[in-house]
Amino acid sequence: MARIRLDDGGVCGVAAAISVLDGKWKTLLLWLLESGPHRPGELRRKVPRISEKVLTQALREMEEDGLVHRETHEVVPLRTVYSLTGHGLALSRALAPLSDWGHDHLDRLAETRDAS
């Protein structure tokens, strides 16, 4: 993953936000975790096309960026639960208008395609 250098004085805020969301699955994982804590197996079942390796990597990166909290329960077998932090929830809420725009854009494309 190509992460931007945040110590570079010329970094724009949008680029910093996109850097945190870089990757195919992070926005979907953010959206799923917005509904509440999930175990990794639950996330895999909800996103069947994601591999376990990629899921683990994305969750670790999101944890490093302060978006998710990883809680491990010392039981056998080990139980891990991921949840959004306040920082992650704020990002998810900030993306809501962008999501609305995206849905409007898809509707517009469909209308254009139907009119052709």
mmCIF file of all heavy atoms in Angstrom, residues 5-22:
data_model
loop_
_atom_site.group_PDB
_atom_site.id
_atom_site.type_symbol
_atom_site.label_atom_id
_atom_site.label_comp_id
_atom_site.label_asym_id
_atom_site.label_seq_id
_atom_site.Cartn_x
_atom_site.Cartn_y
_atom_site.Cartn_z
ATOM 1 N N ARG A 5 3.152 10.605 2.806
ATOM 2 C CA ARG A 5 3.969 11.082 3.924
ATOM 3 C C ARG A 5 3.250 12.261 4.562
ATOM 4 O O ARG A 5 3.118 13.310 3.965
ATOM 5 C CB ARG A 5 5.347 11.501 3.431
ATOM 6 C CG ARG A 5 6.209 10.335 3.009
ATOM 7 C CD ARG A 5 7.551 10.855 2.529
ATOM 8 N NE ARG A 5 8.046 11.899 3.392
ATOM 9 C CZ ARG A 5 9.117 11.775 4.196
ATOM 10 N NH1 ARG A 5 9.791 10.668 4.199
ATOM 11 N NH2 ARG A 5 9.508 12.775 4.957
ATOM 12 N N LEU A 6 2.792 12.057 5.792
ATOM 13 C CA LEU A 6 2.053 13.107 6.468
ATOM 14 C C LEU A 6 2.951 14.211 6.988
ATOM 15 O O LEU A 6 2.472 15.279 7.329
ATOM 16 C CB LEU A 6 1.221 12.512 7.609
ATOM 17 C CG LEU A 6 0.140 11.534 7.154
ATOM 18 C CD1 LEU A 6 -0.608 10.978 8.351
ATOM 19 C CD2 LEU A 6 -0.827 12.193 6.189
ATOM 20 N N ASP A 7 4.263 13.963 7.027
ATOM 21 C CA ASP A 7 5.170 15.006 7.492
ATOM 22 C C ASP A 7 5.538 15.972 6.368
ATOM 23 O O ASP A 7 6.212 16.951 6.582
ATOM 24 C CB ASP A 7 6.427 14.405 8.125
ATOM 25 C CG ASP A 7 7.198 13.492 7.183
ATOM 26 O OD1 ASP A 7 6.702 13.176 6.095
ATOM 27 O OD2 ASP A 7 8.308 13.082 7.562
ATOM 28 N N ASP A 8 5.058 15.711 5.163
ATOM 29 C CA ASP A 8 5.267 16.602 4.036
ATOM 30 C C ASP A 8 4.296 17.774 4.196
ATOM 31 O O ASP A 8 3.088 17.590 4.256
ATOM 32 C CB ASP A 8 4.993 15.852 2.729
ATOM 33 C CG ASP A 8 5.162 16.714 1.503
ATOM 34 O OD1 ASP A 8 5.581 17.888 1.640
ATOM 35 O OD2 ASP A 8 4.883 16.235 0.403
ATOM 36 N N GLY A 9 4.796 18.977 4.271
ATOM 37 C CA GLY A 9 3.967 20.147 4.521
ATOM 38 C C GLY A 9 2.918 20.424 3.468
ATOM 39 O O GLY A 9 1.976 21.142 3.707
ATOM 40 N N GLY A 10 3.047 19.843 2.276
ATOM 41 C CA GLY A 10 2.109 20.115 1.194
ATOM 42 C C GLY A 10 0.959 19.143 1.099
ATOM 43 O O GLY A 10 0.277 19.102 0.096
ATOM 44 N N VAL A 11 0.710 18.361 2.138
ATOM 45 C CA VAL A 11 -0.354 17.359 2.064
ATOM 46 C C VAL A 11 -1.709 18.009 2.299
ATOM 47 O O VAL A 11 -1.921 18.724 3.274
ATOM 48 C CB VAL A 11 -0.118 16.238 3.107
ATOM 49 C CG1 VAL A 11 -1.295 15.292 3.151
ATOM 50 C CG2 VAL A 11 1.153 15.493 2.800
ATOM 51 N N CYS A 12 -2.623 17.743 1.395
ATOM 52 C CA CYS A 12 -3.992 18.249 1.521
ATOM 53 C C CYS A 12 -4.794 17.312 2.419
ATOM 54 O O CYS A 12 -4.516 16.118 2.498
ATOM 55 C CB CYS A 12 -4.551 18.351 0.107
ATOM 56 S SG CYS A 12 -6.196 17.788 -0.183
ATOM 57 N N GLY A 13 -5.786 17.835 3.115
ATOM 58 C CA GLY A 13 -6.598 17.040 4.032
ATOM 59 C C GLY A 13 -7.337 15.909 3.344
ATOM 60 O O GLY A 13 -7.482 14.815 3.891
ATOM 61 N N VAL A 14 -7.813 16.157 2.131
ATOM 62 C CA VAL A 14 -8.520 15.107 1.394
ATOM 63 C C VAL A 14 -7.565 13.968 1.068
ATOM 64 O O VAL A 14 -7.910 12.792 1.194
ATOM 65 C CB VAL A 14 -9.180 15.673 0.113
ATOM 66 C CG1 VAL A 14 -9.771 14.559 -0.735
ATOM 67 C CG2 VAL A 14 -10.241 16.698 0.473
ATOM 68 N N ALA A 15 -6.337 14.299 0.671
ATOM 69 C CA ALA A 15 -5.347 13.266 0.371
ATOM 70 C C ALA A 15 -5.027 12.448 1.618
ATOM 71 O O ALA A 15 -4.862 11.225 1.548
ATOM 72 C CB ALA A 15 -4.076 13.895 -0.187
ATOM 73 N N ALA A 16 -4.960 13.103 2.774
ATOM 74 C CA ALA A 16 -4.702 12.384 4.025
ATOM 75 C C ALA A 16 -5.848 11.431 4.342
ATOM 76 O O ALA A 16 -5.636 10.299 4.761
ATOM 77 C CB ALA A 16 -4.492 13.376 5.165
ATOM 78 N N ALA A 17 -7.089 11.869 4.126
ATOM 79 C CA ALA A 17 -8.250 11.014 4.379
ATOM 80 C C ALA A 17 -8.274 9.836 3.412
ATOM 81 O O ALA A 17 -8.525 8.697 3.812
ATOM 82 C CB ALA A 17 -9.538 11.826 4.265
ATOM 83 N N ILE A 18 -8.009 10.097 2.145
ATOM 84 C CA ILE A 18 -8.008 9.026 1.150
ATOM 85 C C ILE A 18 -6.894 8.030 1.439
ATOM 86 O O ILE A 18 -7.061 6.828 1.259
ATOM 87 C CB ILE A 18 -7.907 9.610 -0.272
ATOM 88 C CG1 ILE A 18 -9.230 10.306 -0.612
ATOM 89 C CG2 ILE A 18 -7.595 8.534 -1.299
ATOM 90 C CD1 ILE A 18 -9.226 11.081 -1.897
ATOM 91 N N SER A 19 -5.771 8.507 1.937
ATOM 92 C CA SER A 19 -4.668 7.625 2.293
ATOM 93 C C SER A 19 -5.089 6.623 3.361
ATOM 94 O O SER A 19 -4.719 5.454 3.320
ATOM 95 C CB SER A 19 -3.482 8.450 2.793
ATOM 96 O OG SER A 19 -2.499 7.625 3.347
ATOM 97 N N VAL A 20 -5.890 7.063 4.316
ATOM 98 C CA VAL A 20 -6.358 6.190 5.391
ATOM 99 C C VAL A 20 -7.327 5.144 4.843
ATOM 100 O O VAL A 20 -7.387 4.029 5.328
ATOM 101 C CB VAL A 20 -7.031 7.031 6.508
ATOM 102 C CG1 VAL A 20 -7.764 6.166 7.498
ATOM 103 C CG2 VAL A 20 -5.987 7.873 7.218
ATOM 104 N N LEU A 21 -8.074 5.505 3.807
ATOM 105 C CA LEU A 21 -9.065 4.602 3.225
ATOM 106 C C LEU A 21 -8.537 3.813 2.038
ATOM 107 O O LEU A 21 -9.286 3.053 1.427
ATOM 108 C CB LEU A 21 -10.289 5.409 2.769
ATOM 109 C CG LEU A 21 -11.086 6.040 3.890
ATOM 110 C CD1 LEU A 21 -12.108 6.993 3.330
ATOM 111 C CD2 LEU A 21 -11.732 4.972 4.752
ATOM 112 N N ASP A 22 -7.264 3.989 1.729
ATOM 113 C CA ASP A 22 -6.668 3.333 0.572
ATOM 114 C C ASP A 22 -6.837 1.823 0.675
ATOM 115 O O ASP A 22 -6.553 1.225 1.695
ATOM 116 C CB ASP A 22 -5.183 3.694 0.482
ATOM 117 C CG ASP A 22 -4.539 3.176 -0.768
ATOM 118 O OD1 ASP A 22 -5.219 3.136 -1.811
ATOM 119 O OD2 ASP A 22 -3.349 2.796 -0.714
#
